[in-house]
Amino acid sequence: MQAFIHGMVLAMGLILPLGVQNLFVFTQGVTQPSFLRALPAVITASICDTLLILLAVEGISVFVASFVLFKILLLTFGIIFLCYMGWITWNSIPVGTTNDETKSVTMKQQILFAVSVSLFNPHAVLDTIGVIGTSSIHYVEKEKLFFTLACILISWCWFLFLAVLGRGFGKRKGFRQMFGLINKVSAVFMWLSALYMIFSSTI
């Protein structure tokens, strides 16, 4: 039980801060015509987080910390994808200006974007692998299993909650009319994240 609670608290601390991944899942809850249509983003983000958590627990953090080239490649992919996603978000059609089918992204786009913000965000990857991986070394066998399950459970529940929350806000007319501005703010946030990665890599 102690390991399970520790895993829950640790996972919540990592996943709660506002980030590109959270913004994207929330956005899909708002823009998709139904909650079911937002599930590809939720499931993909959850699976990616599950993969990162499993890799962290299995000790991949040691590998990441040992190879500078791997970090550079991860950083490069992250910057490219954030810039691309920012451009897509900035130019997306505002909610309420057209029908649901044209304003919402396709299932393929949801999966691609969710993978990119989950696996090609260096800070998210290194935080997950570093923090969760480091914490997991204090547990063995069943304790490590419960610690891992807790981290994964929080991840799935959080992304489902974000989509449901987005869906609830999306039904409000005033909020939907403001979503064009929210898209612009999200795009700027993505570009600033990319710039921060560039800046932090040069220090």
Side-chain angles (χ1 to χ4, degrees):
M1 184 59 66
Q2 180 181 351
F4 188 82
I5 294 175
H6 182 202
M8 290 183 64
V9 173
L10 193 64
M12 289 178 64
L14 287 177
I15 203 171
L16 284 178
L18 181 65
V20 181
Q21 188 185 40
N22 287 341
L23 280 174
F24 177 71
V25 175
F26 177 78
T27 298
Q28 295 314 298
V30 175
T31 60
Q32 293 296 331
S34 68
F35 175 74
L36 291 178
R37 291 285 296 274
L39 281 180
V42 173
I43 294 174
T44 303
S46 300
I47 290 176
C48 289
D49 265 26
T50 299
L51 176 62
L52 288 176
I53 291 169
L54 291 175
L55 290 175
V57 172
E58 291 302 316
I60 302 301
S61 55
V62 177
F63 172 83
V64 174
S66 302
F67 292 90
V68 177
L69 180 59
F70 182 81
K71 288 184 179 180
I72 294 175
L73 291 176
L74 188 63
L75 185 68
T76 302
F77 276 114
I79 293 170
I80 293 173
F81 270 99
L82 282 175
C83 290
Y84 172 72
M85 288 178 55
W87 181 79
I88 292 293
T89 304
W90 182 274
N91 293 284
S92 61
I93 301 173
V95 176
T97 60
T98 184
N99 58 56
D100 286 336
E101 294 299 323
T102 57
K103 68 180 174 56
S104 57
V105 300
T106 65
M107 180 184 297
K108 182 179 179 180
Q109 288 175 321
Q110 284 191 64
I111 294 173
L112 176 63
F113 289 172
V115 169
S116 67
V117 296
S118 301
L119 299 183
F120 297 122
N121 185 337
H123 293 289
V125 172
L126 294 175
D127 284 348
T128 301
I129 292 179
V131 177
I132 292 181
T134 302
S135 299
S136 68
I137 64 176
H138 300 292
Y139 303 107
V140 295
E141 299 180 351
K142 288 185 178 180
E143 289 183 341
K144 178 173 287 189
L145 174 62
F146 279 106
F147 174 83
T148 305
L149 289 177
C151 293
I152 293 173
L153 177 63
I154 289 297
S155 179
W156 282 79
C157 290
W158 175 249
F159 291 128
L160 280 171
F161 170 75
L162 281 179
V164 171
L165 185 66
R167 183 63 184 161
F169 276 107
K171 291 181 179 180
R172 300 182 181 182
K173 184 177 180 181
F175 184 84
R176 293 172 69 87
Q177 291 175 340
M178 291 176 55
F179 204 74
L181 176 61
I182 293 177
N183 279 346
K184 297 295 189 292
V185 173
S186 298
V188 171
F189 185 86
M190 294 177 194
W191 290 330
L192 288 176
S193 297
L195 287 175
Y196 175 75
M197 279 189 265
I198 296 174
F199 175 76
S200 62
S201 65
T202 59
I203 297 177

